[in-house]
Amino acid sequence: MEYTLQSIECTDPCAVTVDPENGIYTIKTFDTSGRQFNEPMELVAWIKKNWKPQQFEDPSEYQKLLRAIDEEIN
């Protein structure tokens, strides 16, 4: 699963990749830096700690992202 969110802080979208089959859990954030995680829950914890719905053009996309990750890993 690949998911993008348009932030109000950057013209490039933020991106999240969750691929349990291949053990890939990555994120590209506002400053276009990237991070890799070993487990999907590490990725979710990072998102909840570092991103807030108000940082996105459509704040509801934040909750949709969290639901999509949950569906992908369960």
Side-chain angles (χ1 to χ4, degrees), residues 2-72:
E2 291 192 29
Y3 202 97
T4 59
L5 299 98
Q6 189 59 52
S7 80
I8 59 173
E9 299 181 24
C10 179
T11 57
D12 291 333
C14 298
V16 177
T17 302
V18 176
D19 182 355
E21 264 185 40
N22 296 304
I24 298 171
Y25 308 101
T26 64
I27 194 166
K28 182 183 81 152
T29 191
F30 305 115
D31 61 3
T32 68
S33 66
R35 294 191 61 142
Q36 269 189 288
F37 301 89
N38 294 318
E39 300 292 330
M41 295 319 294
E42 291 175 5
L43 170 69
V44 171
W46 189 96
I47 290 170
K48 289 180 177 181
K49 180 181 178 192
N50 294 283
W51 286 357
K52 302 295 177 233
Q54 305 85 343
Q55 293 174 294
F56 300 98
E57 287 183 5
D58 181 354
S60 70
E61 287 296 313
Y62 175 86
Q63 292 302 325
K64 289 178 186 174
L65 167 66
L66 294 177
R67 281 192 301 274
I69 292 171
D70 186 56
E71 289 173 10
E72 188 70 26

